[in-house]
Amino acid sequence: MDKVLAYLKQNQQRFLAEFCDYLRFPSVSAQPKHKQDVYACAEWLVAHCRRIGLETRLCPTGGHPIVIAKTPGRKAESGKRKPHFMVYGHYDVQPPEPLELWKSPPFEPRIVGKTIFARGSTDNKGQNFAHLKAVEAYLKTGTPLPCDLTFVIEGEEEVGSENLSAFLKTNKQELDCEAVVISDTGMPSTKHPSLGYSLRGIMAFEITLHGPARDLHSGGFGGAVDNPAMALSQLLGSLRDKNGRITIPGFYDGVKPLTAYERKEYSRLPGSDAALQKMIGVKKLFGERGFTSSEQRSARPTFEINGLTSGYQGEGSKTIIPSWARAKITCRLVPDQQPEHIRKKVLAHLKHICPPTVRMEIEAGHGAEAYFVSPTGPKAQASLRALEKAFGCKPILTREGGSIPIVNQFKKILGADSLLLGLGLPDDAAHSPNEKFSLDCFEKGQLMSAYLWQELK
Ligand code: BES
Ligand code: ZN
């Protein structure tokens, strides 16, 4: 282990230069104009994995390719095998817009002190690169790895991992593993490294209210015709009461209540509501009564408008009754809610309250169950020891508010649980302008990964 640790220490500068190369690819999976850039990023990753000694291949899919990289020498006979783990990550990134809010261009990494700014730095290139560097340290120092590892780094996480499930099914035997290690979440602070044991699920849809066949003069018709934008605002506004509860009958069906133990663990989290309020720049926090903000953000379901469009959006004024109004909605779900059950309840309620003056159209979107795994097993304990060794303090257990839908498929198809060892910090600005990653997290993440294989063996 000493050689591994020394190698990591000696090579940080080069790692940082390589990390910058990785970040320079605008691998935006959602935007067709970046298809070639996504591909080029995958090719770079393949070349890089080969250079550090992994057996690597690029796997085309109907969408963006998947990178598979394996530690060499996995024995064929099961009796002689070492434990096998998958390390999952993604090289695709969210769109960088709005560009004018970036202090430096999103794909030109900028280092300020111990922080690196770039789209994809925390979500997820920095986090998966930390694991690659730890494995490089083993391979380049000739230190035997106690486990066989297969990296699965995909290019479609930010658009719903559409092609990964089929890939898991076709390559089930090769990917059969003890557990999946994922660093694609966060920790409360570097003094509070954490093992995540839950992720929220999601249910997405779009609602459009159609009014008049075309935009109308609001002077000539206003007063006698329903305004779809008003109707949509009223409809959506009625879905939340003053206590922050969603009013849709059945919306809380299946919600697993927090245990006393979990609430105690939540109370150990650092930070205050005042600090949170300041960090995100709101006047005052708002959430479901009876739960702390940390609980609201990870253990309770939500109904969010992600986009709202209607009428004239250009300069100046225009006096019309718009012909339609549309909202993009996602609900975050928690264990043990069923996305399709909640979808039914939500749609039934919307139909019920939709006024007869407009026509409602619903387009269903993606859905995924929440994830929950008991953090008491031996692999979770091994992860906690690796975190403690790397970060030098006692880790905590956390529920995560975001979603990684593919973890459910890891469980269903491969029977494997996921160990969520997030390296991001709360102010990393994932999906936002000026996304960043702490170089401290990058370095300690490498240590965590290096220790993890010793602890998991
Ligand atoms: N890394 C995030 C997921 C995440 C972030 C989980 C923070 C927990 C804490 C991932 O890249 C992501 O953004 N996932 C999407 C999934 C969605 C598109 C289905 C999300 O959560 O919005
Ligand atoms: Zn993301």
Side-chain angles (χ1 to χ4, degrees):
M1 220 19 209
D2 288 350
K3 276 200 269 176
V4 169
L5 299 181
Y7 183 92
L8 290 176
K9 208 167 177 180
Q10 281 153 18
N11 288 280
Q12 284 309 317
Q13 245 181 338
R14 174 173 55 84
F15 291 176
L16 194 52
E18 293 166 349
F19 183 22
C20 288
D21 290 341
Y22 191 11
L23 290 168
R24 278 191 198 99
F25 291 95
S27 47
V28 184
S29 50
Q31 298 175 338
K33 68 171 179 189
H34 283 301
K35 194 170 176 8
Q36 283 311 315
D37 297 314
V38 178
Y39 196 85
C41 186
E43 279 188 317
W44 179 88
L45 199 54
V46 166
H48 192 82
C49 291
R50 283 190 184 140
R51 211 176 317 138
I52 67 179
L54 295 170
E55 289 171 359
T56 311
R57 65 184 200 273
L58 187 65
C59 304
T61 72
H64 303 298
I66 300 166
V67 176
I68 299 294
K70 305 193 280 190
T71 49
R74 188 170 174 211
K75 298 275 187 300
E77 303 121 275
S78 57
K80 292 186 180 166
R81 281 184 174 185
K82 300 181 204 168
H84 178 223
F85 291 90
M86 185 203 297
V87 184
Y88 166 79
H90 61 95
Y91 64 86
D92 66 320
V93 303
Q94 284 273 320
E97 287 78 10
L99 292 172
E100 66 280 9
L101 294 185
W102 284 80
K103 295 204 179 98
S104 53
F107 299 106
E108 291 172 27
R110 173 171 58 103
I111 299 166
V112 182
K114 293 274 300 179
T115 303
I116 185 161
F117 291 88
R119 170 57 86 231
S121 52
T122 188
D123 188 5
N124 170 252
K125 289 174 175 173
Q127 301 202 42
N128 60 59
F129 207 54
H131 283 284
L132 284 172
K133 293 294 107 178
V135 172
E136 171 183 330
Y138 276 93
L139 298 176
K140 292 291 178 189
T141 56
T143 311
L145 257 160
C147 310
D148 289 321
L149 305 179
T150 300
F151 283 85
V152 176
I153 308 182
E154 69 154 322
E156 299 189 309
E157 195 276 344
E158 299 292 9
V159 288
S161 303
E162 261 177 47
N163 292 292
L164 190 51
S165 297
F167 184 85
L168 297 178
K169 283 180 196 144
T170 343
N171 297 277
K172 193 168 168 323
Q173 226 175 355
E174 180 187 4
L175 298 176
D176 177 54
C177 59
E178 310 271 324
V180 184
V181 170
I182 306 179
S183 293
D184 189 25
T185 53
M187 67 181 104
S189 87
T190 49
K191 299 262 173 319
H192 301 80
S194 69
L195 173 68
Y197 63 96
S198 179
L199 290 159
R200 284 199 283 193
I202 199 158
M203 189 274 282
F205 68 96
E206 269 186 36
I207 173 169
T208 309
L209 294 189
H210 297 276
R214 65 198 79 85
D215 290 356
L216 299 176
H217 192 296
S218 61
F221 297 93
V225 180
D226 198 359
N227 181 315
M230 280 295 269
L232 184 62
S233 308
Q234 283 183 316
L235 193 139
L236 294 175
S238 75
L239 299 182
R240 188 176 85 173
D241 71 15
K242 64 176 191 317
N243 293 322
R245 291 272 301 181
I246 302 305
T247 57
I248 300 167
F251 187 75
Y252 293 92
D253 284 0
V255 172
K256 191 185 178 83
L258 280 163
T259 62
Y261 174 80
E262 289 183 284
R263 296 195 97 163
K264 202 165 139 231
E265 197 69 14
Y266 269 109
S267 71
R268 293 176 55 200
L269 291 175
S272 63
D273 280 358
L276 176 64
Q277 202 170 300
K278 191 162 171 233
M279 179 180 88
I280 54 189
V282 290
K283 256 178 80 182
K284 198 168 174 348
L285 296 176
F286 176 84
E288 187 185 356
R289 190 176 286 178
F291 296 91
T292 66
S293 57
S294 306
E295 292 168 351
Q296 289 160 355
R297 290 168 62 200
S298 53
R300 301 297 297 167
T302 65
F303 185 104
E304 303 287 359
I305 304 174
N306 305 131
L308 196 53
T309 321
S310 182
Y312 179 64
Q313 313 275 333
E315 266 180 85
S317 80
K318 187 180 185 196
T319 45
I320 53 162
I321 294 170
S323 147
W324 56 268
R326 178 172 302 136
K328 287 180 185 281
I329 311 284
T330 49
C331 298
R332 292 283 167 175
L333 308 178
V334 300
D336 295 316
Q337 289 186 295
Q338 292 305 316
E340 293 319 309
H341 173 80
I342 303 298
R343 192 189 295 281
K344 255 196 222 146
K345 294 282 173 182
V346 171
L347 296 198
H349 183 66
L350 289 173
K351 244 189 212 153
H352 180 67
I353 62 171
C354 179
T357 47
V358 290
R359 179 172 61 84
M360 187 173 82
E361 185 191 336
I362 301 276
E363 194 184 323
H366 54 91
E369 273 173 67
Y371 182 71
F372 188 94
V373 60
S374 163
T376 54
K379 294 190 195 82
Q381 296 304 313
S383 309
L384 291 170
R385 290 195 300 275
L387 283 169
E388 181 165 359
K389 283 189 174 167
F391 286 86
C393 37
K394 275 247 169 297
I396 55 176
L397 297 170
T398 51
R399 282 200 188 199
E400 295 283 346
S403 311
I404 307 176
I406 199 68
V407 294
N408 296 305
Q409 306 307 315
F410 291 150
K411 185 71 189 175
K412 276 187 196 133
I413 300 169
L414 306 173
D417 283 323
S418 293
L419 298 164
L420 302 168
L421 293 157
L423 299 174
L425 291 174
D427 63 351
D428 272 354
H431 296 201
S432 296
N434 304 304
E435 177 179 348
K436 69 164 183 71
F437 190 49
S438 147
L439 295 179
D440 204 24
C441 291
F442 183 44
E443 287 162 24
K444 291 191 168 129
Q446 296 163 32
L447 289 180
M448 182 272 290
S449 181
Y451 287 124
L452 185 63
W453 314 122
Q454 299 290 341
E455 297 295 338
L456 278 173
K457 73 181 172 209

